[in-house]
Amino acid sequence: MNVRDLRKRVPYQIQRDVLDELSVDQVAEKSDFKISTKEKLRDAVRCTGPRFKSCFLSFVPLLTWLPRYPFRENAIGDLISGISVGIMHLPQGMAYALLAAVPPVFGLYSSFYPILIYFIFGTSKHISVGTYAVMSVMIGSVTERLAPDSDFMIPGNDTNSTTLDIIGRDAERVKIAATVTFLSGIFQLLLGLVRFGFVVTYLSEPLVRAYTTAAAIHVIVSQLKYSFGISPQRYSGPLSLIYTVIEICALLGKTNIGTLVVSIVTILGLVAAKELSALAARKIPVPIPVELITIIVATVVSWQMDLKTEYGVEVVGQIPSGLQAPVAPAVSLLGSMVGDAFALAVVGYGIAISLGRIFALKYAYKVDSNQELIALGLSNAIGGLFNCFAISCSMSRSMVQVSTGGKSQVAGAISAVVILVILLKIGELFEELPKAVLAAIIYVNLHGMMKQFGDICSLWRTNKVDMVVWVMTMILTVLLNPDLGLAASIAFSILTVVFRTQLPKYSILGQVPGTDIYRPVEDYHQVKEIPGIMIFRSSATLYFANAEMYIDALYEKTGVDVAKLLSHKKKLEAKRLRKEKKAAKKAKKEAKKRAKEAADKAVGPDPDSTLPQAIILDLSPVNFLDTVGVKTLRNIYKDYGEAGVQVYLCGCQRGVVESMEKGDFFNEKVTKSILFSSVHDAVLYSQQGNSKEESYFKM
């Protein structure tokens, strides 16, 4: 026998009185002290020197951690990490700009301004904010919906010919992308200021993973036109993904062979290079910049072979050098994109805070969820003024930042400097880069999201409700697009919570022999019911949605339908009264005798043989009571009491007791003497015939 078994079997003895709720209040000297709402409000708005300093430093975390920055320990790691991540920003920024349906250079802007803002206001040391595929495709759905190609067709020289005004279209789409980004930033900022960071709790891990997987499918479909060199019609609204796939299939006969060859060669080269990079990662401290090498090689090949002219391969085009001046958002467009902006705000924050918490837990520091909302909100709002599109954080870049030695937000600032150098000096060198290469980079980077389909099998084994949430989120997002799909997925996820509370497990508890431990009798062979006492428990809280089911389950489990019993008793009582009136004419004594006989007959057999002496309701799983819940408990106590069965309540949390007090559950006849802290106290009390004699718990 080992020490663990001995520790489990050490006997102990507790000697105390059986205590009901009133006795506990007296022994523990319950405090009635409460802070008034006025005092709470006064304390909340009171401004003192230390409080102002604390609020200001929490709003600008840079001022807290930068003065204590351990230069010797972190500087080299942050420098290498920042350069590595900055190099990754170049291909990803340009590629994700295509998803947002804006020129590639605006992806570089989105990899510069927001990172600097997050460096100042963010609290996560390891996430890499910037362009993100899911956010970009959501932006693209807005820009293409509000600025479709059909609005920029210019009549040609011939009667039936038209040409596309690409410059005008791109300028309008940039304005739309910047405006919706600005609005999403305002939403995030407002939510952060009102301490609404808990909103992310409604985005469960299965929901987020399924949503990003479905969004990745939208991303892949949106890039097929660049891989095949075709121009499908743009669809919007529900089922647009299905219509787009059908349209692409119909246009496959018009595929540009040169573009398709470039795409296939790039995909195969990227996959092979990443596999080699993974093998070499153990020996090389810095990861090989596969995407950067790919775009450099592709640009050189495209320039030397003149792919644009000779084979009709679409290239990136003009990339202006330098930075742009801030531009005010298009106020006239705000009304048409409120829903899109809010969806961007929630999705971007949900992804960032989820990843931030993972790293914070791993490296033992805290991420402030409300401050993260403010940081992302400022990043998007200010970025929108500089023609950036909405950002979040990337898993791949964050992993590179951590694996290359990044220890703080300084790595992010260094990556922004790398992008600044590219914008000022190097950007124009990539004008001959084929868009098919950027599409290939997107495909390869999304392979991790496609692996998330494996969640279905693992969730089937662990939690089938979460699996249903995953599958439904996937289906809804694919069919309804990322914006409506997110809202529908959250609604379905909340609905599953409601279903869980409406379909709880109802149990009759029995005692583990020789202990004060009570367990469901159907789950254990040695657990036995206590004669004359029924202990009933529900696994969910008690409120309006399941109150009726609670009563039905109680009647079923106890084997006593009190409603029918009382109805039958009333009928017998009425019959007895009629007989009394009829017999009263003969003799009072005889009438009383008959009345007594009729009363005995109405009660039926000995109550001990048909009804339990007491019913104990274990309310320990109940974390709140609404008015319907209080009324339900009151009716149970009253109905069983009329049937001659005493009802006791145990395991009530403080909030439940307060709800009962406010709901007028207690009165002169019903006091807190029916409340007990534990099931065992209630059992001993009912066994003693309502006497509070000293008892001993021997185990």
Side-chain angles (χ1 to χ4, degrees), residues 344-382:
L344 282 166
V346 174
V347 173
Y349 171 65
I351 293 170
I353 193 63
S354 299
L355 195 57
R357 285 177 173 173
I358 291 174
F359 287 118
L361 182 63
K362 182 177 181 180
Y363 294 99
Y365 64 93
K366 184 179 179 181
V367 171
D368 188 335
S369 57
N370 291 302
Q371 182 60 29
E372 286 295 290
L373 262 176
I374 294 174
L376 290 173
L378 289 172
S379 298
N380 281 323
I382 297 175

mmCIF file of all heavy atoms in Angstrom, residues 344-382:
data_model
loop_
_atom_site.group_PDB
_atom_site.id
_atom_site.type_symbol
_atom_site.label_atom_id
_atom_site.label_comp_id
_atom_site.label_asym_id
_atom_site.label_seq_id
_atom_site.Cartn_x
_atom_site.Cartn_y
_atom_site.Cartn_z
ATOM 1 N N LEU A 344 -15.410 43.175 -37.939
ATOM 2 C CA LEU A 344 -13.952 43.277 -37.986
ATOM 3 C C LEU A 344 -13.380 43.525 -36.598
ATOM 4 O O LEU A 344 -12.363 42.938 -36.214
ATOM 5 C CB LEU A 344 -13.540 44.411 -38.923
ATOM 6 C CG LEU A 344 -13.603 44.134 -40.426
ATOM 7 C CD1 LEU A 344 -13.505 45.443 -41.209
ATOM 8 C CD2 LEU A 344 -12.481 43.203 -40.845
ATOM 9 N N ALA A 345 -14.043 44.399 -35.839
ATOM 10 C CA ALA A 345 -13.559 44.725 -34.497
ATOM 11 C C ALA A 345 -13.561 43.493 -33.592
ATOM 12 O O ALA A 345 -12.586 43.224 -32.885
ATOM 13 C CB ALA A 345 -14.426 45.834 -33.892
ATOM 14 N N VAL A 346 -14.640 42.725 -33.632
ATOM 15 C CA VAL A 346 -14.764 41.564 -32.754
ATOM 16 C C VAL A 346 -13.809 40.451 -33.176
ATOM 17 O O VAL A 346 -13.111 39.856 -32.348
ATOM 18 C CB VAL A 346 -16.226 41.058 -32.742
ATOM 19 C CG1 VAL A 346 -16.323 39.757 -31.955
ATOM 20 C CG2 VAL A 346 -17.138 42.105 -32.138
ATOM 21 N N VAL A 347 -13.761 40.176 -34.487
ATOM 22 C CA VAL A 347 -12.907 39.087 -34.971
ATOM 23 C C VAL A 347 -11.432 39.415 -34.733
ATOM 24 O O VAL A 347 -10.663 38.579 -34.232
ATOM 25 C CB VAL A 347 -13.159 38.821 -36.466
ATOM 26 C CG1 VAL A 347 -12.153 37.819 -37.012
ATOM 27 C CG2 VAL A 347 -14.565 38.296 -36.669
ATOM 28 N N GLY A 348 -11.029 40.621 -35.085
ATOM 29 C CA GLY A 348 -9.635 41.007 -34.899
ATOM 30 C C GLY A 348 -9.209 40.940 -33.450
ATOM 31 O O GLY A 348 -8.123 40.436 -33.128
ATOM 32 N N TYR A 349 -10.069 41.419 -32.556
ATOM 33 C CA TYR A 349 -9.747 41.374 -31.133
ATOM 34 C C TYR A 349 -9.743 39.939 -30.613
ATOM 35 O O TYR A 349 -8.849 39.548 -29.839
ATOM 36 C CB TYR A 349 -10.755 42.207 -30.349
ATOM 37 C CG TYR A 349 -10.640 42.046 -28.857
ATOM 38 C CD1 TYR A 349 -9.498 42.456 -28.186
ATOM 39 C CD2 TYR A 349 -11.663 41.461 -28.126
ATOM 40 C CE1 TYR A 349 -9.382 42.295 -26.812
ATOM 41 C CE2 TYR A 349 -11.562 41.303 -26.756
ATOM 42 C CZ TYR A 349 -10.424 41.723 -26.104
ATOM 43 O OH TYR A 349 -10.318 41.561 -24.748
ATOM 44 N N GLY A 350 -10.731 39.145 -31.036
ATOM 45 C CA GLY A 350 -10.814 37.769 -30.565
ATOM 46 C C GLY A 350 -9.577 36.963 -30.914
ATOM 47 O O GLY A 350 -9.050 36.215 -30.090
ATOM 48 N N ILE A 351 -9.084 37.125 -32.142
ATOM 49 C CA ILE A 351 -7.897 36.384 -32.574
ATOM 50 C C ILE A 351 -6.659 36.869 -31.814
ATOM 51 O O ILE A 351 -5.840 36.077 -31.351
ATOM 52 C CB ILE A 351 -7.708 36.525 -34.091
ATOM 53 C CG1 ILE A 351 -8.859 35.819 -34.833
ATOM 54 C CG2 ILE A 351 -6.369 35.958 -34.539
ATOM 55 C CD1 ILE A 351 -8.906 36.102 -36.304
ATOM 56 N N ALA A 352 -6.526 38.178 -31.674
ATOM 57 C CA ALA A 352 -5.344 38.745 -31.014
ATOM 58 C C ALA A 352 -5.285 38.375 -29.536
ATOM 59 O O ALA A 352 -4.237 37.974 -29.026
ATOM 60 C CB ALA A 352 -5.334 40.265 -31.183
ATOM 61 N N ILE A 353 -6.408 38.492 -28.831
ATOM 62 C CA ILE A 353 -6.380 38.230 -27.397
ATOM 63 C C ILE A 353 -6.235 36.732 -27.128
ATOM 64 O O ILE A 353 -5.594 36.328 -26.139
ATOM 65 C CB ILE A 353 -7.655 38.784 -26.706
ATOM 66 C CG1 ILE A 353 -7.482 38.809 -25.182
ATOM 67 C CG2 ILE A 353 -8.868 37.988 -27.096
ATOM 68 C CD1 ILE A 353 -6.397 39.703 -24.678
ATOM 69 N N SER A 354 -6.786 35.894 -27.995
ATOM 70 C CA SER A 354 -6.631 34.447 -27.816
ATOM 71 C C SER A 354 -5.163 34.053 -27.918
ATOM 72 O O SER A 354 -4.634 33.317 -27.068
ATOM 73 C CB SER A 354 -7.455 33.692 -28.860
ATOM 74 O OG SER A 354 -8.823 33.991 -28.741
ATOM 75 N N LEU A 355 -4.492 34.552 -28.941
ATOM 76 C CA LEU A 355 -3.075 34.227 -29.113
ATOM 77 C C LEU A 355 -2.233 34.893 -28.027
ATOM 78 O O LEU A 355 -1.274 34.306 -27.513
ATOM 79 C CB LEU A 355 -2.612 34.683 -30.498
ATOM 80 C CG LEU A 355 -1.284 34.114 -30.999
ATOM 81 C CD1 LEU A 355 -1.321 32.599 -31.013
ATOM 82 C CD2 LEU A 355 -0.976 34.640 -32.398
ATOM 83 N N GLY A 356 -2.598 36.122 -27.656
ATOM 84 C CA GLY A 356 -1.858 36.821 -26.609
ATOM 85 C C GLY A 356 -1.912 36.100 -25.278
ATOM 86 O O GLY A 356 -0.911 36.033 -24.555
ATOM 87 N N ARG A 357 -3.064 35.554 -24.947
ATOM 88 C CA ARG A 357 -3.199 34.832 -23.680
ATOM 89 C C ARG A 357 -2.399 33.539 -23.678
ATOM 90 O O ARG A 357 -1.886 33.109 -22.641
ATOM 91 C CB ARG A 357 -4.680 34.540 -23.410
ATOM 92 C CG ARG A 357 -5.456 35.765 -22.946
ATOM 93 C CD ARG A 357 -6.920 35.458 -22.773
ATOM 94 N NE ARG A 357 -7.634 36.589 -22.183
ATOM 95 C CZ ARG A 357 -8.951 36.641 -22.044
ATOM 96 N NH1 ARG A 357 -9.693 35.629 -22.460
ATOM 97 N NH2 ARG A 357 -9.529 37.695 -21.503
ATOM 98 N N ILE A 358 -2.287 32.897 -24.843
ATOM 99 C CA ILE A 358 -1.498 31.672 -24.931
ATOM 100 C C ILE A 358 -0.038 31.954 -24.579
ATOM 101 O O ILE A 358 0.580 31.260 -23.769
ATOM 102 C CB ILE A 358 -1.610 31.066 -26.344
ATOM 103 C CG1 ILE A 358 -3.027 30.529 -26.582
ATOM 104 C CG2 ILE A 358 -0.578 29.947 -26.537
ATOM 105 C CD1 ILE A 358 -3.272 30.057 -27.997
ATOM 106 N N PHE A 359 0.522 33.012 -25.184
ATOM 107 C CA PHE A 359 1.918 33.356 -24.900
ATOM 108 C C PHE A 359 2.083 33.883 -23.480
ATOM 109 O O PHE A 359 3.102 33.622 -22.834
ATOM 110 C CB PHE A 359 2.416 34.388 -25.905
ATOM 111 C CG PHE A 359 2.658 33.826 -27.281
ATOM 112 C CD1 PHE A 359 1.942 34.272 -28.376
ATOM 113 C CD2 PHE A 359 3.616 32.847 -27.489
ATOM 114 C CE1 PHE A 359 2.154 33.760 -29.638
ATOM 115 C CE2 PHE A 359 3.844 32.324 -28.747
ATOM 116 C CZ PHE A 359 3.115 32.777 -29.829
ATOM 117 N N ALA A 360 1.102 34.646 -22.990
ATOM 118 C CA ALA A 360 1.198 35.180 -21.628
ATOM 119 C C ALA A 360 1.215 34.049 -20.607
ATOM 120 O O ALA A 360 1.955 34.098 -19.624
ATOM 121 C CB ALA A 360 0.022 36.123 -21.362
ATOM 122 N N LEU A 361 0.407 33.022 -20.821
ATOM 123 C CA LEU A 361 0.387 31.886 -19.915
ATOM 124 C C LEU A 361 1.703 31.114 -19.980
ATOM 125 O O LEU A 361 2.237 30.667 -18.960
ATOM 126 C CB LEU A 361 -0.782 30.968 -20.271
ATOM 127 C CG LEU A 361 -0.993 29.742 -19.380
ATOM 128 C CD1 LEU A 361 -1.315 30.175 -17.955
ATOM 129 C CD2 LEU A 361 -2.114 28.868 -19.929
ATOM 130 N N LYS A 362 2.244 30.996 -21.182
ATOM 131 C CA LYS A 362 3.483 30.237 -21.359
ATOM 132 C C LYS A 362 4.674 30.941 -20.727
ATOM 133 O O LYS A 362 5.547 30.295 -20.135
ATOM 134 C CB LYS A 362 3.732 30.007 -22.847
ATOM 135 C CG LYS A 362 4.971 29.181 -23.156
ATOM 136 C CD LYS A 362 5.110 28.934 -24.650
ATOM 137 C CE LYS A 362 6.349 28.089 -24.963
ATOM 138 N NZ LYS A 362 6.485 27.835 -26.416
ATOM 139 N N TYR A 363 4.720 32.269 -20.815
ATOM 140 C CA TYR A 363 5.889 33.015 -20.330
ATOM 141 C C TYR A 363 5.603 33.807 -19.053
ATOM 142 O O TYR A 363 6.360 34.703 -18.691
ATOM 143 C CB TYR A 363 6.395 33.951 -21.429
ATOM 144 C CG TYR A 363 6.947 33.206 -22.621
ATOM 145 C CD1 TYR A 363 6.173 33.025 -23.765
ATOM 146 C CD2 TYR A 363 8.219 32.643 -22.600
ATOM 147 C CE1 TYR A 363 6.662 32.326 -24.859
ATOM 148 C CE2 TYR A 363 8.711 31.944 -23.687
ATOM 149 C CZ TYR A 363 7.935 31.787 -24.811
ATOM 150 O OH TYR A 363 8.420 31.085 -25.888
ATOM 151 N N ALA A 364 4.483 33.501 -18.395
ATOM 152 C CA ALA A 364 4.198 34.000 -17.037
ATOM 153 C C ALA A 364 4.133 35.516 -16.948
ATOM 154 O O ALA A 364 4.871 36.140 -16.186
ATOM 155 C CB ALA A 364 5.225 33.456 -16.050
ATOM 156 N N TYR A 365 3.272 36.118 -17.724
ATOM 157 C CA TYR A 365 2.959 37.537 -17.545
ATOM 158 C C TYR A 365 1.491 37.737 -17.877
ATOM 159 O O TYR A 365 0.804 36.803 -18.312
ATOM 160 C CB TYR A 365 3.854 38.441 -18.399
ATOM 161 C CG TYR A 365 3.701 38.291 -19.897
ATOM 162 C CD1 TYR A 365 2.834 39.109 -20.617
ATOM 163 C CD2 TYR A 365 4.443 37.351 -20.600
ATOM 164 C CE1 TYR A 365 2.697 38.982 -21.992
ATOM 165 C CE2 TYR A 365 4.321 37.217 -21.973
ATOM 166 C CZ TYR A 365 3.441 38.035 -22.665
ATOM 167 O OH TYR A 365 3.309 37.902 -24.023
ATOM 168 N N LYS A 366 0.982 38.929 -17.659
ATOM 169 C CA LYS A 366 -0.446 39.175 -17.807
ATOM 170 C C LYS A 366 -0.722 40.059 -19.016
ATOM 171 O O LYS A 366 -0.016 41.031 -19.264
ATOM 172 C CB LYS A 366 -0.998 39.849 -16.545
ATOM 173 C CG LYS A 366 -2.508 40.061 -16.581
ATOM 174 C CD LYS A 366 -3.002 40.715 -15.300
ATOM 175 C CE LYS A 366 -4.512 40.938 -15.356
ATOM 176 N NZ LYS A 366 -5.013 41.600 -14.124
ATOM 177 N N VAL A 367 -1.760 39.697 -19.759
ATOM 178 C CA VAL A 367 -2.248 40.517 -20.870
ATOM 179 C C VAL A 367 -3.567 41.145 -20.441
ATOM 180 O O VAL A 367 -4.494 40.440 -20.031
ATOM 181 C CB VAL A 367 -2.442 39.671 -22.142
ATOM 182 C CG1 VAL A 367 -3.147 40.478 -23.215
ATOM 183 C CG2 VAL A 367 -1.100 39.188 -22.667
ATOM 184 N N ASP A 368 -3.637 42.464 -20.496
ATOM 185 C CA ASP A 368 -4.846 43.199 -20.109
ATOM 186 C C ASP A 368 -5.817 43.196 -21.283
ATOM 187 O O ASP A 368 -5.561 43.813 -22.315
ATOM 188 C CB ASP A 368 -4.471 44.626 -19.718
ATOM 189 C CG ASP A 368 -5.658 45.384 -19.131
ATOM 190 O OD1 ASP A 368 -6.813 45.040 -19.429
ATOM 191 O OD2 ASP A 368 -5.423 46.351 -18.380
ATOM 192 N N SER A 369 -6.948 42.488 -21.141
ATOM 193 C CA SER A 369 -7.878 42.335 -22.259
ATOM 194 C C SER A 369 -8.479 43.673 -22.684
ATOM 195 O O SER A 369 -8.672 43.930 -23.878
ATOM 196 C CB SER A 369 -8.992 41.358 -21.884
ATOM 197 O OG SER A 369 -9.677 41.791 -20.729
ATOM 198 N N ASN A 370 -8.789 44.544 -21.727
ATOM 199 C CA ASN A 370 -9.361 45.846 -22.077
ATOM 200 C C ASN A 370 -8.319 46.752 -22.741
ATOM 201 O O ASN A 370 -8.624 47.476 -23.694
ATOM 202 C CB ASN A 370 -9.929 46.525 -20.832
ATOM 203 C CG ASN A 370 -11.154 45.817 -20.305
ATOM 204 O OD1 ASN A 370 -12.151 45.654 -21.001
ATOM 205 N ND2 ASN A 370 -11.088 45.370 -19.065
ATOM 206 N N GLN A 371 -7.080 46.716 -22.247
ATOM 207 C CA GLN A 371 -6.027 47.520 -22.852
ATOM 208 C C GLN A 371 -5.709 47.023 -24.260
ATOM 209 O O GLN A 371 -5.369 47.821 -25.149
ATOM 210 C CB GLN A 371 -4.775 47.499 -21.982
ATOM 211 C CG GLN A 371 -3.617 48.342 -22.500
ATOM 212 C CD GLN A 371 -3.973 49.811 -22.632
ATOM 213 O OE1 GLN A 371 -4.812 50.326 -21.898
ATOM 214 N NE2 GLN A 371 -3.335 50.501 -23.574
ATOM 215 N N GLU A 372 -5.821 45.714 -24.491
ATOM 216 C CA GLU A 372 -5.610 45.181 -25.842
ATOM 217 C C GLU A 372 -6.650 45.730 -26.803
ATOM 218 O O GLU A 372 -6.359 46.024 -27.970
ATOM 219 C CB GLU A 372 -5.665 43.656 -25.816
ATOM 220 C CG GLU A 372 -4.442 43.006 -25.210
ATOM 221 C CD GLU A 372 -3.192 43.265 -26.030
ATOM 222 O OE1 GLU A 372 -3.059 42.726 -27.129
ATOM 223 O OE2 GLU A 372 -2.343 44.049 -25.545
ATOM 224 N N LEU A 373 -7.883 45.874 -26.330
ATOM 225 C CA LEU A 373 -8.923 46.487 -27.163
ATOM 226 C C LEU A 373 -8.553 47.918 -27.520
ATOM 227 O O LEU A 373 -8.704 48.356 -28.669
ATOM 228 C CB LEU A 373 -10.262 46.473 -26.414
ATOM 229 C CG LEU A 373 -11.250 45.351 -26.744
ATOM 230 C CD1 LEU A 373 -12.467 45.436 -25.849
ATOM 231 C CD2 LEU A 373 -11.667 45.404 -28.207
ATOM 232 N N ILE A 374 -8.068 48.655 -26.533
ATOM 233 C CA ILE A 374 -7.675 50.042 -26.782
ATOM 234 C C ILE A 374 -6.497 50.099 -27.748
ATOM 235 O O ILE A 374 -6.480 50.915 -28.686
ATOM 236 C CB ILE A 374 -7.327 50.742 -25.455
ATOM 237 C CG1 ILE A 374 -8.584 50.866 -24.581
ATOM 238 C CG2 ILE A 374 -6.697 52.105 -25.699
ATOM 239 C CD1 ILE A 374 -8.322 51.409 -23.197
ATOM 240 N N ALA A 375 -5.510 49.226 -27.554
ATOM 241 C CA ALA A 375 -4.329 49.222 -28.424
ATOM 242 C C ALA A 375 -4.698 48.892 -29.866
ATOM 243 O O ALA A 375 -4.270 49.578 -30.810
ATOM 244 C CB ALA A 375 -3.301 48.220 -27.897
ATOM 245 N N LEU A 376 -5.512 47.852 -30.054
ATOM 246 C CA LEU A 376 -5.932 47.496 -31.410
ATOM 247 C C LEU A 376 -6.835 48.571 -31.995
ATOM 248 O O LEU A 376 -6.783 48.856 -33.199
ATOM 249 C CB LEU A 376 -6.662 46.151 -31.390
ATOM 250 C CG LEU A 376 -5.796 44.917 -31.104
ATOM 251 C CD1 LEU A 376 -6.671 43.686 -30.933
ATOM 252 C CD2 LEU A 376 -4.800 44.695 -32.228
ATOM 253 N N GLY A 377 -7.682 49.165 -31.147
ATOM 254 C CA GLY A 377 -8.555 50.230 -31.632
ATOM 255 C C GLY A 377 -7.775 51.432 -32.126
ATOM 256 O O GLY A 377 -8.060 51.989 -33.190
ATOM 257 N N LEU A 378 -6.758 51.850 -31.367
ATOM 258 C CA LEU A 378 -5.922 52.966 -31.804
ATOM 259 C C LEU A 378 -5.127 52.600 -33.056
ATOM 260 O O LEU A 378 -4.956 53.426 -33.965
ATOM 261 C CB LEU A 378 -4.975 53.379 -30.681
ATOM 262 C CG LEU A 378 -5.628 54.079 -29.475
ATOM 263 C CD1 LEU A 378 -4.618 54.255 -28.358
ATOM 264 C CD2 LEU A 378 -6.192 55.440 -29.891
ATOM 265 N N SER A 379 -4.648 51.349 -33.117
ATOM 266 C CA SER A 379 -3.888 50.906 -34.285
ATOM 267 C C SER A 379 -4.737 50.980 -35.545
ATOM 268 O O SER A 379 -4.284 51.459 -36.601
ATOM 269 C CB SER A 379 -3.387 49.473 -34.083
ATOM 270 O OG SER A 379 -2.511 49.401 -32.984
ATOM 271 N N ASN A 380 -5.979 50.530 -35.453
ATOM 272 C CA ASN A 380 -6.857 50.556 -36.622
ATOM 273 C C ASN A 380 -7.374 51.954 -36.930
ATOM 274 O O ASN A 380 -7.452 52.343 -38.101
ATOM 275 C CB ASN A 380 -8.036 49.602 -36.404
ATOM 276 C CG ASN A 380 -7.662 48.153 -36.641
ATOM 277 O OD1 ASN A 380 -6.885 47.846 -37.538
ATOM 278 N ND2 ASN A 380 -8.190 47.256 -35.831
ATOM 279 N N ALA A 381 -7.751 52.701 -35.884
ATOM 280 C CA ALA A 381 -8.296 54.040 -36.117
ATOM 281 C C ALA A 381 -7.244 54.970 -36.716
ATOM 282 O O ALA A 381 -7.500 55.673 -37.709
ATOM 283 C CB ALA A 381 -8.838 54.616 -34.811
ATOM 284 N N ILE A 382 -6.051 54.987 -36.138
ATOM 285 C CA ILE A 382 -4.979 55.835 -36.674
ATOM 286 C C ILE A 382 -4.483 55.273 -38.002
ATOM 287 O O ILE A 382 -4.208 56.021 -38.951
ATOM 288 C CB ILE A 382 -3.832 55.954 -35.661
ATOM 289 C CG1 ILE A 382 -4.329 56.652 -34.388
ATOM 290 C CG2 ILE A 382 -2.646 56.713 -36.260
ATOM 291 C CD1 ILE A 382 -3.301 56.722 -33.282
#
